[in-house]
Amino acid sequence: MFSRTGPKALKPDLKNTQKLCELLDHPERKFKSVHIAGTNGKGSVSHMLAAIFQEHGFTTGLYTSPHIHDFRERIRINGRMIPEESVVDFVENTKEMTRKIGPSFFELTFAMAMKYFADEKVDVAVVETGLGGKLDSTNVIMPELSVITNIGWDHMDVLGDTLDKIAFEKAGIIKINIPVVIGEVLPETREVFLKKAEEMNAPIFFAQEHFEIVREKTNELLELVVKSRDSHLEFNLDLDLKGVYQKKNIVTVLQAVEVLKKEFHFDFEKIKSALSQVSAATGFGGRWQIVHKNPMVVMDVGHNVNGFSEIIQQLSLMKYRALHIIIGMVKDKDITAVLKLLPKDANYFFTNAHIPRALSKEQFQQKAGMFSLKGDVYEDVNLALKSALKISSAEDLILICGSFFVIAEVDLKIFQMEKPADKIMMGKN
């Protein structure tokens, strides 16, 4: 319901989740876990860590949100989505407790994931927060490691209207004596994390102080040269997640691995192998995801100012004849701040997802016009995509972006009439 209607669907405390877990015999306590929070990047970091665990032979649970095409994307073991019958059985078996407790969609989904992971006896689960940290349903777990990827401007109506307030909410996942890794850090947020870590007696690691990207090049993979600030050694990594913004996420992942390696005994060659095939291993998609060539069609779920800043940086590295942007957003984002970032020389195709929370395509077109962004409106993303393909040359770039919910409505069958050599298939589930 939050996905559809926004903040009014939230239940901002842990009581319902705690009751559910208690009635289910605390499944969240029956396996090791890693807890991931942050404004952007937490999905990428979660999937990369899951791929690394999988490559080392650990039976690995992965809980993320939101989904793109299938609800079951939220709950995976070793990259495979929870079976439909497991979802049905859980709902049937919890009807009575659901009636008594009245949990939100997210609370019940989280409980489902924990029960499934416990029943399947996973070795470790990577658990991504939904929104915030302190009062997020996932915050009932006691992880081996907490990770906060970054702090940016999103969900200010719920988390606070300053970066330090948002950081305070995210810092709520820091637990007593449990180490925490901080990815990208800002002057406004650093002290918040240091103070919370000190209160919790939690060892704290700022990833940027331990690893840096020396060089990068994008080919079929994102090729990185990484330097350890501690050992001063350099090493090569090839990532199948090609967005240039993954540079920040990989630094966070490497520091997390460094902290976890005493417990899980990671092998460097297996880490490298895992990072080169994250999409195939975990079913990850929607982050600078190339779904077609000639013209290149890219989907990216970036949906806030920080996310769009990274997309614009990626576009600056691309070579193309003309740029076509298919875009739709939801009403509760900072639309004006995003519009200020978007390139004026692109052709725009304004649309909206078919949910109550979506900003109408007409309103979006009107707002965009105030920033000299011109284009037509389309009833849905697939009509926009068909129109963009008709006017595009093989050297053009088509970007579909603005919202998880717009990406979710993309029908990849549109490309089935193309030559097989021109297609790039999505990561397998």
Side-chain angles (χ1 to χ4, degrees), residues 209-224:
E209 295 177 358
H210 298 276
F211 293 95
E212 65 174 318
I213 306 301
V214 179
R215 291 186 298 280
E216 79 270 357
K217 183 168 66 173
T218 301
N219 288 312
E220 287 302 311
L221 298 172
L222 177 60
E223 300 172 10
L224 302 176

Side-chain angles (χ1 to χ4, degrees), residues 27-82:
E28 80 284 3
R29 299 177 183 175
K30 297 179 180 179
F31 47 83
K32 295 177 180 178
S33 60
V34 178
H35 201 190
I36 317 286
T39 302
N40 292 297
K42 58 183 183 291
S44 295
V45 169
S46 295
H47 282 79
M48 284 191 269
L49 284 174
I52 290 169
F53 281 122
Q54 288 173 220
E55 186 73 14
H56 285 81
F58 296 106
T59 302
T60 307
L62 177 61
Y63 177 71
T64 59
S65 62
H67 61 272
I68 298 179
H69 299 289
D70 189 321
F71 165 79
R72 299 178 302 135
E73 295 168 21
R74 295 168 178 253
I75 305 170
R76 299 177 185 263
I77 295 178
N78 288 354
R80 293 185 296 276
M81 296 188 293
I82 182 173

Side-chain angles (χ1 to χ4, degrees), residues 12-288:
D13 61 53
L14 302 178
K15 292 177 183 177
N16 285 348
T17 307
Q18 290 164 340
K19 289 176 184 175
L20 285 170
C21 288
E22 182 180 353
L23 290 171
L24 294 169
D25 192 27
H26 288 290
E28 80 284 3
R29 299 177 183 175
K30 297 179 180 179
F31 47 83
K32 295 177 180 178
S33 60
V34 178
H35 201 190
I36 317 286
T39 302
N40 292 297
K42 58 183 183 291
S44 295
V45 169
S46 295
H47 282 79
M48 284 191 269
L49 284 174
I52 290 169
F53 281 122
Q54 288 173 220
E55 186 73 14
H56 285 81
F58 296 106
T59 302
T60 307
L62 177 61
Y63 177 71
T64 59
S65 62
H67 61 272
I68 298 179
H69 299 289
D70 189 321
F71 165 79
R72 299 178 302 135
E73 295 168 21
R74 295 168 178 253
I75 305 170
R76 299 177 185 263
I77 295 178
N78 288 354
R80 293 185 296 276
M81 296 188 293
I82 182 173
E84 290 182 2
E85 56 267 26
S86 295
V87 177
V88 173
D89 289 347
F90 179 86
V91 173
E92 288 288 348
N93 295 334
T94 57
K95 275 185 176 178
E96 185 59 27
M97 70 175 74
T98 297
R99 186 184 64 80
K100 289 180 179 179
I101 297 170
S104 69
F105 166 81
F106 188 85
E107 289 167 335
L108 196 63
T109 302
F110 171 72
M112 180 190 300
M114 298 302 100
K115 180 74 163 56
Y116 179 60
F117 293 161
D119 289 348
E120 297 298 314
K121 297 180 171 56
V122 301
D123 299 311
V124 61
V126 180
V127 178
E128 178 192 353
T129 61
L131 190 156
K134 182 174 68 173
L135 299 178
D136 189 81
S137 299
T138 62
N139 207 27
V140 299
I141 65 173
M142 189 60 67
E144 305 301 306
L145 173 69
S146 303
V147 178
I148 302 173
T149 58
N150 76 342
I151 301 298
W153 300 105
D154 203 6
H155 299 297
M156 286 88 78
D157 50 345
V158 177
L159 302 178
D161 56 2
T162 63
L163 290 176
D164 58 325
K165 288 179 182 177
I166 297 171
F168 178 79
E169 292 298 319
K170 307 280 187 187
I173 72 166
I174 300 175
K175 308 288 199 309
I176 295 175
N177 298 325
I178 303 298
V180 58
V181 167
I182 309 297
E184 187 181 8
V185 69
L186 302 168
E188 302 97 314
T189 62
R190 183 183 178 88
E191 289 304 315
V192 176
F193 295 134
L194 285 171
K195 182 179 179 182
K196 184 65 175 181
E198 184 179 3
E199 289 174 4
M200 296 289 103
N201 194 37
I204 186 168
F205 303 87
F206 292 96
Q208 292 173 322
E209 295 177 358
H210 298 276
F211 293 95
E212 65 174 318
I213 306 301
V214 179
R215 291 186 298 280
E216 79 270 357
K217 183 168 66 173
T218 301
N219 288 312
E220 287 302 311
L221 298 172
L222 177 60
E223 300 172 10
L224 302 176
V225 178
V226 186
K227 180 178 180 180
S228 166
R229 293 182 185 271
D230 299 323
S231 67
H232 304 292
L233 295 175
E234 294 185 3
F235 53 91
N236 299 314
L237 289 176
D238 296 333
L239 276 61
D240 68 327
L241 306 183
K242 292 186 280 291
V244 70
Y245 49 77
Q246 299 296 354
K247 292 191 300 179
K248 298 176 181 178
N249 294 328
I250 193 61
V251 167
T252 307
V253 169
L254 291 173
Q255 185 56 46
V257 165
E258 189 68 21
V259 176
L260 289 165
K261 69 180 183 181
K262 291 180 182 178
E263 177 77 22
F264 293 96
H265 308 293
F266 293 127
D267 173 79
F268 182 65
E269 290 304 315
K270 289 182 178 179
I271 292 170
K272 289 179 66 176
S273 176
L275 293 172
S276 70
Q277 51 186 338
V278 174
S279 294
T282 67
F284 193 44
R287 278 70 170 184
W288 201 258

